[in-house]
Amino acid sequence: MKTIRIISLLWIMAACSCVASPKQQLSVPADSAALPSDSIRTILLKADNGDAAAQNIVGQWCYEGINGQEKDYRQALQWWAKAAQQDHADAIANMAMCYQHGHGTERDSTMAMGLYQAAIKKGCTTVIPHHEAIANSTADAFSCMLLYDCYQRAIGVTRDQPKAQKFLALAAEKGNANAQYQLALIYLNSQQADKAAPWMKKAAEAGVAGAKFYYGRMLHQGNGVVQDKQRGISLLQNAADDHFTAAYAELARIYYEGNGTEADIDKAMPYIRAAVDAGNEETTWYLGLCYLNGTGVERDYYKAVQWLAQTASTTHRDDFLRLFAENKDNSFGRYLQGLKAYYVDKDYKKAIAHFKKVKTADSPEGLSMLGICQATRDYAKRNEKKAVKTLRKAAEKGSASAKYYLSAMLETGTGVKQDDAQALKLLSEAADDGIAYAQCKLADRYMTGRGVSRDITEAARLYLQAERQRHLTPEAAKNLAECYRQKVGILPDLDNAEQRISRLNQQKNNGSLIAMLNTLDV
């Protein structure tokens, strides 16, 4: 591809990536034929003194080996980087050219694409026509993909989807796997699965994780292709192995329901967990059912409700109401009715009546909630000592939530002698057992060093666990935001710390439980 010769002065983004280089003194060449020696001397002196336009010109000389400069791509890139630090648009475009071709640095198409677009956004008008000429004559994949993105996102041009798709198709036909994938998605989103299928297949065969997922799902569903569930599942598993998170939820559903294979909770569970951790709300329904039925995990009504609630009042409302109707008179139904009486109706006597009917053999969580009712301040027959006794019994039966509530009573000396060491022990056990509120509270201790050695890394780890369970409290969210400010190493997405901090500072309490309980007509 021809190089781009740009030497005019335009302005571009202030935070541009650059290549650092030591300050260099260039001698004036004695045998320059292209320019008079005094002109060369003037430009070199200006470049050495920090003039961006001159630095861009000297970079061009080094790139082409003219005006007495040896041809040296790395040296050219260093000069352009200096000009780029001063927002020189054409220097940025020239840097993009270096990254595109691997001149003076390793080839990096992603970096090149970003630099070209940065230059375009600030008015560098030569990049788009240059690449259009190349795309129209040779269908070069890089040029086509650059133009596709520009016309799709209105970068330096008016948004033009037909023109964007034209360049995308050229790149796809040229064999660019990413273009094939993007083109297939366009057809798929416009309900043209038959046109999407051949391009998705090509991209999948080229190893594009997203294409493996979509083509696998198309095969599994028989959408645009002859149905082949086994081959579809195999491709979906390949996509999951490539960490394409949508594949986790798809495989979780397939193995949980036995669609195209035998139902297998053991196979479904890792995908369910992975999908939930990746933020897939739909899969929380399956995780809730697993805790309810004790399949793949130990039965736990507290955790079942926690996960079912995420979608019980929205996408799975009908499923939840049907589930409640089927279980209304058994332990789980009584547990739900007790929760509504406690949290919504504030009828503690009625709540106690329901929780007493929850068989401990089915779940000790009924016993745990019974203890909570007995300790509730607004309950007319409140009995803190009795509550402690009930919670101890529930904890002994395996209730993690009882450990959490009991730790709070031991910490404050409510109904029992204050014992912070025992409170901390039970709090830690509840956190280890997956109680999100316990994780938040224990993390708060590590954040401040209250009763433990201050450890902000451990605090961050616990906050992240609670966040994955959708139950990070607003106070805990602000503390996690502080962890991001301090750039704690274990935190994900540190490159986007400011966005994470902003979202965390807007965190609200999870209201899914109340929303779910309000759907019950009891």
Side-chain angles (χ1 to χ4, degrees), residues 380-437:
K381 296 183 178 180
R382 181 187 186 198
N383 188 326
E384 293 172 346
K385 290 185 177 180
K386 191 173 182 179
V388 170
K389 185 177 180 180
T390 304
L391 287 170
R392 286 193 191 280
K393 186 177 179 181
E396 288 169 1
K397 296 290 185 181
S399 169
S401 65
K403 294 177 182 179
Y404 168 63
Y405 295 126
L406 187 56
S407 74
M409 298 184 79
L410 283 162
E411 182 182 348
T412 58
T414 304
V416 66
K417 183 179 178 181
Q418 187 177 20
D419 187 339
D420 195 61
Q422 184 63 15
L424 180 59
K425 178 178 181 294
L426 286 170
L427 183 63
S428 298
E429 290 177 5
D432 289 342
D433 286 341
I435 303 300
Y437 293 125

Side-chain angles (χ1 to χ4, degrees), residues 276 284 287-288 291 303-310 468-469:
V276 169
T284 62
L287 186 55
Y291 276 113
K303 292 178 183 176
V305 166
Q306 171 185 313
W307 292 115
L308 291 174
Q310 301 305 313
R468 284 196 293 271
Q469 296 189 69

Side-chain angles (χ1 to χ4, degrees), residues 7 14 78 138 140 150 181-182 219 224 279 302 339 373 502 522:
I7 60 174
Q78 289 173 345
T138 68
D140 175 79
C150 288
Y181 173 49
Q182 295 297 331
L219 285 167
Y302 179 96
L339 291 177
C373 289
S502 178
V522 292

